[in-house]
Structure formats: structure tokens, C-alpha cells
């Protein structure tokens, strides 16, 4: 995964959800700003059974 995101899925989950809550209106916006692949983030979090919920703007 490019950028400076955590590689551990659990740490990534915490980081992404915090960023979504505090700074970004969508996962797409966050990924563009951080220069990372939306698909790669989603696939990494799917490994620990978390999926993006656009209505809640968080991984659940």
C-alpha cells in the first residue's frame, strides 16, 4: 500500500475511521488526499471482515 498508512489491518481500521470521522466526507476523498488506492484499503480491511458503509462514512 502506498502512502504512509498503517500496514496492520487493525491499526489501519482505527486510522481510517478516525480520519473519516474527523477530516473526510468520503473514503474516496480520503484515498485521493493520501495518495492510496481505495481498492487496496478496502481489500485490506475486508481481511478482518470490515466493509465501508458510505451512509455512515466508516468501516463496520
Amino acid at each position: 500500500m502506498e502512502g504512509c498508512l498503517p500496514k496492520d489491518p487493525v491499526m489501519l481500521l482505527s486510522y481510517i475511521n478516525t480520519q473519516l470521522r474527523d477530516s473526510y466526507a468520503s473514503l474516496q476523498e480520503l484515498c485521493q488526499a493520501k495518495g492510496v488506492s481505495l481498492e487496496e484499503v478496502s481489500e485490506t480491511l475486508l481481511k478482518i471482515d470490515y466493509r465501508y458503509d458510505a451512509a455512515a462514512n466508516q468501516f463496520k
Side-chain angles (χ1 to χ4, degrees):
M1 189 174 321
E2 297 174 10
C4 58
L5 298 183
K7 301 216 183 300
D8 177 76
V10 175
M11 295 297 288
L12 179 63
L13 172 66
S14 177
Y15 177 80
I16 293 287
N17 275 345
T18 298
Q19 291 292 306
L20 289 170
R21 180 190 70 219
D22 295 347
S23 304
Y24 297 97
S26 70
L27 180 60
Q28 182 176 1
E29 182 182 324
L30 183 153
C31 289
Q32 286 176 339
K34 300 291 182 182
V36 297
S37 163
L38 185 148
E39 292 78 16
E40 198 168 339
V41 168
S42 296
E43 288 173 13
T44 299
L45 294 177
L46 188 57
K47 292 177 185 176
I48 58 170
D49 295 324
Y50 281 82
R51 289 161 185 80
Y52 182 63
D53 179 339
N57 193 33
Q58 70 180 40
F59 278 86
K60 296 183 175 183

